Amino acid sequence: MSMEEATAKQEVGRRGIGLFGLIGMVVSSCIGSGAFAITGQLSQVASPGAALIAWLIVGVGFLALALSLNNLGARRPDLPGIFSYAQEGFGPFAGFISGWGYWLSAWLGNVAFATMMMSTLGYFFPAFLPGNTVPCIAIASVVMWLLTYFVIRGVESASVLNAVVMVCKVASLAVFIIFSVFMFNAGVFTADFWGTVYNNAVAAGSAGADAVALGDVPQQIINCLIIMMWVFVGVEGASVMSSRAARKSDVGKATVIGLACLLAIYIGCSVLPYGYMPYSEIAMLDYPAMLYVFEDMAPGWGGAFISIAIIISILGSWLSFTMLPAETTSEMAEAKLLPASWGALNKKGAPQMSLVVVGGCTQAFMLLLLLSADAYDFAYSMCTVSIVITWALAAMYQVKLSGERHEAGQLAIGLVASVFLVVGVLFNGWSFLLLTCVGYIPGFVVYAKARKDQGEGLGRVDKVGIVVVTALGVLSLVLLGMGIISL
């Protein structure tokens, strides 16, 4: 359960969450570090025209996913946690794959937060750039273990903290978008609308020795997918809270309106700057590029304004995503997919063992980032691919359930979501998908113990699945050693 979700449950009581509150759930659950980083990320892979087409495709795909989750929540309100859709539809092994993927995604998101925060500090202290140096990892580790300690001690979400974080996120992005609108120059925006000029410059050798061509428009769109998927992590917010809605009918409305708001924010942050500064120049800026673009728009205060907003936003999201993986493992333990010890609570009501495991995994991954050429991209890509596994299995259950109920419209929505998620990852994130399989290998040990504790042992499907995923994980390590896959 995210910080926003926990806060909402505390505040709504018996009144239920209204339409505005549900919209807020969708928006607040999704907006994190990605909204601040996307300004520079898209400029490195896509021209303005290709980015707009990619946003249209991603918008339709996530609308289908959100509507699928909404329908599943309405049809099967008895099922807890998003991983339970996979378990109900395809058996316990699928449920474990879904839940473990959600767990991996949650703490991998913390690694992305850490690198983004350190890169942001680089605005004030250049020695922190590019965000994955030894001092950066040391400071991020201290922050991570402090947050873990606070949660272990029972410090959960607070409505005041949530309000501060939300104001900082939305207000700072709104200010940036307003400046981008007023300083927008159509001539700059359309000067190289499809990337043709830049591609020709690269081919002619006049774009710099290290310049890489964007490719044709379809290739640019494909390169946008993982970047755009990352900023929608949390889109399940309203559907997760559907049982707390004052009116069930508001959930679907909130999902559509929330996604429309998110698309407006993301397009404003990522595409409007193309009309202020050529995207090839934005691509050359340090992370996060929004910070340096706004510093140019508002000299003297713009960079510091965005930097402070990013740091506050990340700390709030980091606290939330420290609790989320522990909450996930607790629900999986209740569903008998993990040993009961993973859901055991201490005297403060916190799943201490699970939190310590998450802290250890996060720490190990932070150290691995010392070897990464682009730490933030690697962390968010791994996080995104992990949660796409969970989303895709939920969308597939939507297809199965709708087929059984002969609901053609809902079946079509599930198919759109499933195809979008699977194709998007295979086109743009296959290497990260292979590396994610490595993260499942230790999970199989605890899954096997959970099955043994139930007196059932591993079935044929379990054994085949474990062998296949483990083989893919080993393959990824071989490809990594050969240099075919890089960090």
Side-chain angles (χ1 to χ4, degrees):
M1 177 188 308
S2 71
M3 179 171 63
E4 289 84 0
E5 292 164 5
T7 301
K9 285 188 177 183
Q10 293 171 0
E11 292 181 348
V12 297
R14 297 180 180 178
R15 293 178 290 110
I17 308 175
L19 177 62
F20 184 77
L22 290 169
I23 294 171
M25 282 301 308
V26 176
V27 175
S28 63
S29 295
C30 288
I31 294 179
S33 64
F36 296 94
I38 201 168
T39 301
Q41 289 177 295
L42 288 188
S43 66
Q44 296 175 353
V45 300
S47 59
L52 288 172
I53 295 175
W55 276 124
L56 176 62
I57 295 171
V58 169
V60 172
F62 273 102
L63 177 60
L65 173 63
L67 291 176
S68 295
L69 293 174
N70 176 48
N71 180 63
L72 292 175
R75 297 297 188 190
R76 296 300 307 270
D78 56 308
L79 297 178
I82 189 172
F83 67 87
S84 61
Y85 298 140
Q87 182 179 12
E88 179 69 15
F90 311 107
F93 184 73
F96 169 77
I97 291 293
S98 176
W100 196 259
Y102 201 69
W103 179 78
L104 287 172
S105 175
W107 64 260
L108 285 169
N110 289 341
V111 179
F113 294 147
T115 55
M116 172 61 80
M117 188 171 74
M118 293 300 105
S119 295
T120 303
L121 288 175
Y123 173 78
F124 301 104
F125 310 102
F128 283 96
L129 293 173
N132 63 331
T133 61
V134 173
C136 289
I137 299 301
I139 294 175
S141 298
V142 171
V143 173
M144 184 269 294
W145 284 112
L146 282 174
L147 288 174
T148 301
Y149 174 76
F150 290 149
V151 176
I152 287 176
R153 296 294 297 170
V155 178
E156 298 184 352
S157 59
S159 58
V160 174
L161 175 60
N162 185 40
V164 170
V165 172
M166 273 304 301
V167 169
C168 287
K169 286 194 288 190
V170 177
S172 57
L173 292 173
V175 170
F176 178 77
I177 291 172
I178 291 171
F179 268 72
S180 298
V181 168
F182 280 100
M183 306 183 79
F184 185 84
N185 185 318
V188 174
F189 185 74
T190 59
D192 189 15
F193 194 70
W194 299 111
T196 306
V197 175
Y198 180 76
N199 284 334
N200 291 338
V202 172
S206 59
D210 298 327
V212 178
L214 297 175
D216 56 19
V217 172
Q219 184 60 51
Q220 293 178 50
I221 293 172
I222 290 172
N223 291 340
C224 288
L225 294 181
I226 290 293
I227 297 172
M228 292 180 174
M229 285 180 173
W230 158 241
V231 296
F232 285 99
V233 172
V235 72
E236 65 276 3
S239 61
V240 169
M241 296 297 292
S242 61
S243 62
R244 299 276 180 164
R247 293 181 298 276
K248 290 284 187 179
S249 59
D250 283 345
V251 175
K253 297 177 185 177
T255 301
V256 175
I257 297 172
L259 280 173
C261 293
L262 287 168
L263 283 170
I265 292 171
Y266 293 151
I267 292 172
C269 291
S270 63
V271 179
L272 283 177
Y274 286 2
Y276 173 75
M277 183 183 297
Y279 67 89
S280 57
E281 294 183 16
I282 296 175
M284 299 298 292
L285 299 175
D286 288 322
Y287 269 157
M290 177 188 288
L291 188 161
Y292 298 96
V293 171
F294 198 55
E295 173 66 21
D296 195 74
M297 290 180 174
W301 65 273
F305 173 79
I306 293 293
S307 295
I308 294 171
I310 292 175
I311 291 171
I312 293 175
S313 175
I314 287 176
L315 285 174
S317 297
W318 202 341
L319 174 61
S320 174
F321 275 72
T322 298
M323 294 182 289
L324 182 59
E327 179 71 17
T328 301
T329 53
S330 295
E331 292 179 349
M332 291 179 69
E334 291 178 8
K336 313 302 182 185
L337 298 177
L338 291 178
S341 58
W342 284 71
L345 304 179
N346 62 15
K347 295 180 180 179
K348 299 291 185 178
Q352 181 169 324
M353 191 197 83
S354 181
L355 286 164
V356 172
V357 171
V358 167
C361 291
T362 307
Q363 182 67 79
F365 211 84
M366 282 184 184
L367 295 175
L368 183 62
L369 292 183
L370 292 170
L371 306 176
S372 176
D374 195 331
Y376 181 73
D377 278 7
F378 181 63
Y380 85 73
S381 296
M382 291 292 291
C383 170
T384 304
V385 169
S386 297
I387 200 170
V388 165
I389 295 171
T390 306
W391 287 338
L393 285 169
M396 291 175 188
Y397 180 54
Q398 158 85 349
V399 172
K400 180 181 179 180
L401 184 64
S402 300
E404 293 172 348
R405 291 174 172 267
H406 306 290
E407 297 173 339
Q410 291 295 338
L411 189 148
I413 291 172
L415 281 174
V416 170
S418 300
V419 171
F420 164 70
L421 294 167
V422 173
V423 172
V425 167
L426 292 180
F427 268 147
N428 193 219
W430 67 269
S431 61
F432 299 108
L433 183 60
L434 285 178
L435 287 171
T436 300
C437 292
V438 178
Y440 277 95
I441 296 175
F444 292 143
V445 177
V446 292
Y447 173 69
K449 185 179 186 306
R451 300 298 291 169
K452 183 179 179 181
D453 291 344
Q454 295 304 308
E456 298 180 5
L458 296 176
R460 183 177 179 181
V461 173
D462 298 329
K463 293 176 181 178
V464 172
I466 289 172
V467 169
V468 171
V469 176
T470 300
L472 291 174
V474 172
L475 174 62
S476 73
L477 295 177
V478 173
L479 295 178
L480 184 65
M482 295 172 63
I484 297 175
I485 293 178
S486 63
L487 299 182

